[in-house]
Amino acid sequence: MVSKQKIRRKLAQADFTDDVMFELVMSQLEICRKFLKAVLPQLDFTKIKVVDQSHLKTDYLSKAGRLDIHCTDAYGNQFDIELQMTNEHNVAQRAKYYHTLMTNHMLTAGEDYQSLKETYVIFLCPFNPLAIEQQRAVGHYRMISEEGDYLNDGTHTLILNASGDWEGVSDELKGIFQLVLRQPASFGQLGAQIMDKIDEIKYSKTGGRKYMELTGAFWQDAREAGIKIGERKGTDETIIKLIPDLLP
């Protein structure tokens, strides 16, 4: 089991790009709402809630089977916000899987498929995860035919590339991009609000306790996932990938 000392050291060094800190900060309703509004200004986020992910459990590895931030709006549309700091060249496949996780429990037996709500997977990256030359900071991808017709299946994948061209990007998103690039947020108000929340978590007993509990849970999930696939090497690699600075 990971020691409390290692978790405390991790907490002291944590910023917005730390997996656990990202989840703690982005699960704050007001911050989550402002972020979604900055990404999708045409939608109504007056009422949102962060969703308990216990019903999303699968037999796959825990990290691949859980969403970083999963929330829903007043209309039942679902949103997944993913922090992707390392280019694993699998964003399209991950998006497909995350859309499936969110859609999997939308319908009850006998309910019409037209009752399915929209799903949005939002990747926040410090790099361009697609093998294309285009360096847009914000890309919105939907299912489309070879003739250019949209399928209208309700799935939306958004890639926020902090290293891309910021032309036309709102100040709020620019501030988020700065945090992803591990820079102080000087654009907009949301970035500064997030930095304040990180400080609050770091220097309050309640915040520190939540960070330690969540890190411990991540650690345990990673170990159990490795044990399930029956490979010690797989266990260690999963943990290192999930919480790299907790190991010697």
Side-chain angles (χ1 to χ4, degrees):
M1 185 65 179
V2 64
S3 69
K4 290 183 178 180
Q5 289 74 17
K6 288 184 178 179
I7 298 179
R8 290 193 183 100
R9 185 164 62 246
K10 186 175 188 291
L11 172 59
Q13 299 170 349
D15 59 15
F16 187 62
T17 66
D18 175 273
D19 281 343
V20 178
M21 186 62 74
F22 180 81
E23 180 165 338
L24 284 174
V25 170
M26 291 300 293
S27 61
Q28 303 291 317
L29 284 181
E30 192 59 28
I31 289 176
C32 186
R33 180 183 294 111
K34 289 180 179 179
F35 174 83
L36 290 172
K37 193 65 179 177
V39 177
L40 296 161
Q42 73 276 19
L43 300 185
D44 177 14
F45 295 107
T46 304
K47 293 183 179 181
I48 65 167
K49 66 177 181 179
V50 176
V51 180
D52 176 16
Q53 297 188 47
S54 60
H55 68 289
L56 295 178
K57 289 183 178 179
T58 71
D59 292 330
Y60 300 100
L61 296 180
S62 286
K63 182 57 178 175
R66 73 187 307 280
L67 311 179
D68 281 357
I69 299 295
H70 180 205
C71 56
T72 183
D73 64 14
Y75 310 99
N77 302 313
Q78 298 193 34
F79 305 81
D80 168 34
I81 307 169
E82 294 287 324
L83 178 66
Q84 187 80 16
M85 293 301 295
T86 304
N87 192 357
E88 300 173 5
H89 307 285
N90 61 3
V91 160
Q93 291 75 21
R94 290 171 72 99
K96 180 179 180 180
Y97 182 64
Y98 295 145
H99 281 298
T100 302
L101 281 177
M102 290 189 289
T103 307
N104 193 33
H105 298 280
M106 277 189 181
L107 298 181
T108 58
E111 193 171 1
D112 194 286
Y113 286 112
Q114 290 182 335
S115 299
L116 285 170
K117 303 299 182 180
E118 309 272 315
T119 57
Y120 294 78
V121 175
I122 303 169
F123 287 101
L124 189 53
C125 314
F127 54 83
N128 178 15
L130 301 179
I132 56 177
E133 293 183 4
Q134 197 168 19
Q135 287 288 316
R136 287 182 300 173
V138 180
H140 187 162
Y141 300 89
R142 291 180 287 173
M143 192 73 73
I144 192 171
S145 72
E146 292 183 356
E147 293 74 28
D149 300 316
Y150 284 109
L151 183 61
N152 292 323
D153 63 339
T155 59
H156 305 259
T157 300
L158 291 97
I159 297 177
L160 309 183
N161 170 19
S163 66
D165 184 356
W166 290 11
E167 183 177 358
V169 174
S170 69
D171 282 351
E172 296 293 15
L173 268 187
K174 287 179 181 177
I176 295 295
F177 286 164
Q178 287 177 306
L179 294 179
V180 172
L181 296 173
R182 296 189 171 99
Q183 302 170 1
S186 59
F187 288 95
Q189 299 178 357
L190 181 55
Q193 184 179 351
I194 288 173
M195 289 193 298
D196 288 342
K197 177 56 67 173
I198 290 174
D199 285 341
E200 178 184 323
I201 291 171
K202 283 186 175 184
Y203 300 113
S204 69
K205 290 183 178 180
T206 301
R209 183 169 61 250
K210 287 182 179 179
Y211 184 93
M212 294 185 74
E213 289 173 353
L214 188 54
T215 302
F218 274 25
W219 175 273
Q220 186 62 32
D221 284 349
R223 290 193 65 84
E224 290 177 356
I227 291 170
K228 282 181 180 180
I229 62 175
E231 296 179 12
R232 178 65 189 180
K233 180 180 178 182
T235 304
D236 292 341
E237 287 179 351
T238 302
I239 296 170
I240 291 170
K241 183 178 174 182
L242 182 61
I243 319 175
D245 51 346
L246 286 181
L247 293 179

